[in-house]
Amino acid sequence: MNLSWCERDNCHEDGLRERVVGLHNEIMFDRPATGQVAYNWVYEEEENVKPIPSVLLLVKKNDEGLMKVAADAVKSLTSFGDIKVMLTPEVAAKFSHYYSVDNHHILLFDPKPVPGFGGNHLPTDSIQYSSYSSLEAGDVGSVVDHDKYESGGHDDKYGSEKMHNRSDGPDLICTLGGDGLLMHASNLFSGPCPPILCIAGGSLGFLTPFPRCEMVDAIRISLGLQNANENSFSVSDASDSENAFLSQASSMLPHCGECAEEANEKRKRPIFKFGANNKICLSMRMRLDCRVINREGVIKARFNVLNEVTIDRGSSPYLAALECFCDDVHLTTVQADGVIFSTPTGSTAYSMAAGGSVVHPAVPAILVTPICPHVLSFRSMVFPDHVVLRCFVPDDARADAAVAFDGKHRRELHRGDSVQVQMSAYPVPTINRADHSSDW
């Protein structure tokens, strides 16, 4: 017996976790389907001078307290001379004018549009609009050419890293705010996204495990410029075993109040640690690649969402009538206020409020949750990440529908329009203070 795993287009024999054993074709697993992802920094031996890493600092708007915290952090980071700090022009101007923060290690961040993402909700004078004008007025063939452009000339539903080899991007993103700022960072990097360090500065902070007093040390450790185990005040020492870093990461960590006692010592080694053996744990937060397609097959909009894409009845007084398919197999006819396609990260957001299950962020799955369904037997469903889900407005629907992507870019869905949802090739990696289960 020869095993392989198959996608819609082809099958592969490499990377299987299943294997055949015994004389009677018994099958067993070699490993779990998922695990804890961790990273460490490795430099080439022949490099005489290490490249200076850069961090993009995003700060919550209209919060002067957080602006002061961020300005102090930038002063501290640039004083070492081994980090470049990237700021948006608005934040850089405020730092320079109000806090006298100006340094040659401070760079301006100019977000670049990612070809293939966006939609005609953009104003006509937007930089991104020209990238999609051909899709708005194009024919079916323009969709194929567009996909080939993404993959460097090859049809590839998961895209390609060839077009994203940018030398001017950050090595790390640090958000000082709430969960909404993490959503904003995801929106800025619709393609490949560097690791994100989330500092709590909002009202909820469900996805922000680091307190603001650990901000500077956490950035330096995340960039490999400071060893989390050196001169640490933690009770337990780092284990020499390669397999010990998960249990080490899950140890109890001090609260922010303990850090404040040492706040006057600017370059004090951290009294906290995360990870072990110079490895930092990550949560690879899956995103959904969502495309709005009209009846002619032209892509009208495309977004990567971190939480969910929601299709609802909009301003219509009638229930939304939708036909849903899974891999082109009819799944169900939806008669409800709407339906939510959610990631595991988004399972604790709108989907949970609508009665959906809470899913661990490491589970590779897509959740489908109805909003106030007309038929009570229609319950939340969980699909594997390899399927392609499609929901369209039939010609006999009583009214149009509406769609929103992570609560933004809301647009109408006319009869014949469909929304295609599948796993995105570009997850959002967030840095864990402990590990992905402890932070969750």
Side-chain angles (χ1 to χ4, degrees):
M1 180 185 290
N2 186 33
L3 298 178
S4 60
W5 65 273
C6 299
E7 299 179 273
R8 290 175 297 162
D9 303 326
N10 49 37
C11 296
H12 311 271
E13 296 183 3
D14 299 330
L16 279 173
R17 67 184 183 120
E18 299 86 358
R19 61 186 176 94
V20 180
V21 296
L23 301 177
H24 301 285
N25 295 324
E26 296 95 343
I27 300 176
M28 66 174 290
F29 289 138
D30 278 339
R31 61 184 185 279
T34 61
Q36 174 70 69
V37 178
Y39 78 92
N40 63 306
W41 289 87
V42 178
Y43 296 99
E44 299 293 337
E45 295 183 359
E46 59 269 15
E47 291 183 355
N48 295 325
V49 180
K50 293 182 179 180
I52 299 179
S54 60
V55 56
L56 170 61
L57 179 58
L58 301 176
V59 187
K60 181 182 179 181
K61 288 185 176 181
N62 303 321
D63 193 317
E64 296 304 323
L66 292 182
M67 290 292 290
K68 179 64 168 62
V69 172
D72 292 340
V74 171
K75 285 182 181 179
S76 179
L77 290 170
T78 54
S79 67
F80 290 94
D82 55 358
I83 296 179
K84 295 179 180 179
V85 180
M86 305 181 74
L87 302 172
T88 61
E90 178 185 1
V91 172
K94 287 186 177 181
F95 282 1
S96 177
H97 182 73
Y98 294 107
Y99 304 102
S100 301
V101 177
D102 197 1
N103 191 292
H104 68 281
H105 285 293
I106 297 178
L107 307 176
L108 294 182
F109 173 70
D110 181 22
K112 299 291 194 309
V114 179
F117 290 92
N120 63 357
H121 61 279
L122 297 170
T124 55
D125 58 349
S126 170
I127 298 176
Q128 295 178 335
Y129 184 82
S130 59
S131 301
Y132 312 110
S133 58
S134 60
L135 286 180
E136 298 300 331
D139 54 11
V140 179
S142 66
V143 179
V144 178
D145 295 337
H146 183 259
D147 289 339
K148 286 185 177 180
Y149 171 73
E150 278 194 300
S151 58
H154 303 283
D155 292 321
D156 183 359
K157 69 174 182 177
Y158 292 127
S160 170
E161 63 182 21
K162 180 179 179 181
M163 58 171 287
H164 301 288
N165 291 331
R166 290 175 48 190
S167 59
D168 58 344
D171 299 294
L172 176 74
I173 302 172
C174 178
T175 62
L176 178 58
D179 296 347
L181 195 57
L182 174 60
M183 307 286 288
H184 175 63
S186 171
N187 190 47
L188 287 178
F189 292 83
S190 295
C193 182
I196 301 180
L197 180 72
C198 300
I199 309 296
S203 57
L204 179 61
F206 186 72
L207 302 176
T208 54
F210 291 88
R212 65 191 68 174
C213 59
E214 298 174 352
M215 181 175 175
V216 174
D217 288 321
I219 290 175
R220 292 187 57 80
I221 293 172
S222 300
L223 289 173
L225 301 175
Q226 183 170 301
N227 192 330
N229 299 322
E230 290 179 359
N231 301 327
S232 174
F233 290 84
S234 176
V235 176
S236 59
D237 295 328
S239 173
D240 293 331
S241 172
E242 186 70 17
N243 297 323
F245 78 93
L246 287 179
S247 59
Q248 179 104 4
S250 301
S251 61
M252 295 299 294
L253 298 173
H255 295 290
C256 188
E258 300 179 37
C259 300
E261 298 176 1
E262 309 292 341
N264 58 342
E265 301 182 31
K266 292 184 179 179
R267 298 192 182 185
K268 185 76 175 178
R269 290 290 183 182
I271 61 174
F272 72 97
K273 68 168 70 176
F274 59 98
N277 296 328
N278 295 326
K279 292 184 182 294
I280 307 300
C281 297
L282 291 172
S283 288
M284 303 301 294
R285 298 189 178 275
M286 166 185 168
R287 286 192 284 188
L288 297 179
D289 184 344
C290 306
R291 311 181 188 196
V292 178
I293 306 172
N294 66 10
R295 65 170 69 245
E296 288 80 23
V298 178
I299 299 176
K300 305 294 287 185
R302 182 183 180 191
F303 299 96
N304 270 342
V305 300
L306 180 60
N307 268 1
E308 74 277 314
V309 53
T310 304
I311 305 174
D312 57 46
R313 64 182 183 176
S315 60
S316 171
Y318 305 109
L319 292 177
L322 305 168
E323 298 290 345
C324 292
F325 292 80
C326 176
D327 287 337
D328 292 328
V329 177
H330 187 261
L331 179 64
T332 186
T333 298
V334 176
Q335 284 189 314
D337 282 350
V339 62
I340 303 168
F341 297 88
S342 170
T343 65
T345 298
S347 68
T348 55
Y350 195 2
S351 176
M352 183 176 70
S357 300
V358 176
V359 180
H360 191 287
V363 176
I366 303 175
L367 287 76
V368 179
T369 305
I371 305 172
C372 299
H374 178 63
V375 180
L376 296 180
S377 60
F378 185 13
R379 290 292 179 242
S380 181
M381 297 175 287
V382 181
F383 292 89
D385 62 351
H386 66 81
V387 303
V388 176
L389 301 172
R390 183 168 57 90
C391 202
F392 83 94
V393 183
D395 291 333
D396 59 355
R398 299 181 69 181
D400 293 338
V403 60
F405 306 90
D406 276 340
K408 299 180 179 180
H409 312 306
R410 190 172 181 84
R411 58 187 296 137
E412 286 189 353
L413 291 177
H414 303 293
R415 294 173 182 84
D417 290 347
S418 64
V419 177
Q420 179 177 297
V421 179
Q422 65 188 55
M423 183 197 78
S424 172
Y426 308 118
V428 172
T430 57
I431 295 177
N432 301 135
R433 192 166 185 264
D435 58 51
H436 59 190
S437 292
S438 297
D439 285 8
W440 184 60

